[in-house]
């Protein structure tokens, strides 16, 4: 369960995963590569932001927006009312863009590979899994 303790643990561990700006750029590259590798069709969703070149400034800015959104959501895991408001906004933005729910599973797979690479044995899999689901379920809409 993504209970109060799990929420605090994920917040603390995310801060380690998502520390400095260099790490943030690298995290974006690793995550998007892992998403595009799982389903090549997802790349076309990102034509507007140069999905064909994940090292382009346009794509890196996009990646920073997404991870920034995830950062906000995780930081609000212990504030359900504000979390709900943020997720409702993200949900609208993704519905507008026609992002199928199943793509959030690809994102989750990528995150669940990436986070332990930064945390090693400290990674608490069940907490990350259940708390990512809280966030993804709040954004999914189709
Ligand atoms: C927890 C997971 C996710 C979070 C927190 C998130 C967050 C965001 C944020 C903050 C934006 C920028 C909105 C704006 O400023 O207009 C965005 C845009 C977008 N997201 Fe997500 N996202 C997530 C998952 C996904 C997934 C799984 C996909 C598809 C594989 C996706 C596809 C897109 C697309 C296509 C855009 C618009 C790109 C553009 O600017 O043209 N997102 N997302």
């Amino acid at each position: 369960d993504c209970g109060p303790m799990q929420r605090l643990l994920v917040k603390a561990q995310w801060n380690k995963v998502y520390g400095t700006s260099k790490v943030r750029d690298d995290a974006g590259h690793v995550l998007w590569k892992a998403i595009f590798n799982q389903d090549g069709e997802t790349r076309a969703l990102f034509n507007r932001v140069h999905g064909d070149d994940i090292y382009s400034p346009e794509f890196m800015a996009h990646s920073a927006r997404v991870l920034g959104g995830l950062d906000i959501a995780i930081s609000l895991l212990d504030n359900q009312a504000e979390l709900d408001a943020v997720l409702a906004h993200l949900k609208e933005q993704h519905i507008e863009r026609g992002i199928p729910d199943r793509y959030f599973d690809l994102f989750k797979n990528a995150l669940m590979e990436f986070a332990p690479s930064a945390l090693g044995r400290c990674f608490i899999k069940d907490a990350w899994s259940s708390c990512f689901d809280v966030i993804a379920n709040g954004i999914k809409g189709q």
Side-chain angles (χ1 to χ4, degrees):
D1 247 24
C2 181
M5 182 57 75
Q6 285 76 16
R7 288 175 189 236
L8 291 177
L9 287 167
V10 170
K11 273 184 74 161
Q13 294 208 327
W14 168 255
N15 287 334
K16 287 192 186 159
V17 172
Y18 192 62
T20 62
S21 62
K22 166 83 177 113
V23 172
R24 291 175 186 200
D25 288 345
D26 292 348
H29 291 134
V30 172
L31 285 171
W32 293 108
K33 265 188 215 168
I35 291 166
F36 297 161
N37 279 339
Q38 290 176 79
D39 183 341
E41 293 193 356
T42 54
R43 197 189 280 269
L45 292 167
F46 304 96
N47 283 341
R48 199 190 74 85
V49 287
H50 287 220
D52 57 320
D53 177 8
I54 63 170
Y55 298 96
S56 65
E58 292 84 356
F59 192 83
M60 286 175 70
H62 156 74
S63 182
R65 286 193 289 277
V66 174
L67 289 182
L70 184 59
D71 186 45
I72 292 170
I74 291 176
S75 73
L76 292 174
L77 276 170
D78 56 356
N79 184 340
Q80 188 71 51
E82 285 191 37
L83 177 62
D84 288 343
V86 164
L87 295 179
H89 182 60
L90 285 169
K91 179 175 181 164
E92 275 176 28
Q93 289 180 319
H94 287 80
I95 287 179
E96 276 168 12
R97 287 163 173 138
I99 311 300
D101 287 350
R102 66 177 186 285
Y103 287 171
F104 287 84
D105 301 336
L106 309 182
F107 192 110
K108 180 177 180 179
N109 294 339
L111 183 66
M112 296 293 286
E113 288 291 321
F114 175 70
S117 76
L119 293 164
R121 292 189 342 192
C122 295
F123 175 66
I124 305 174
K125 190 175 179 182
D126 291 348
W128 277 78
S129 175
S130 57
C131 291
F132 180 79
D133 289 346
V134 166
I135 292 171
N137 290 339
I139 305 175
K140 286 178 180 177
Q142 51 213 328

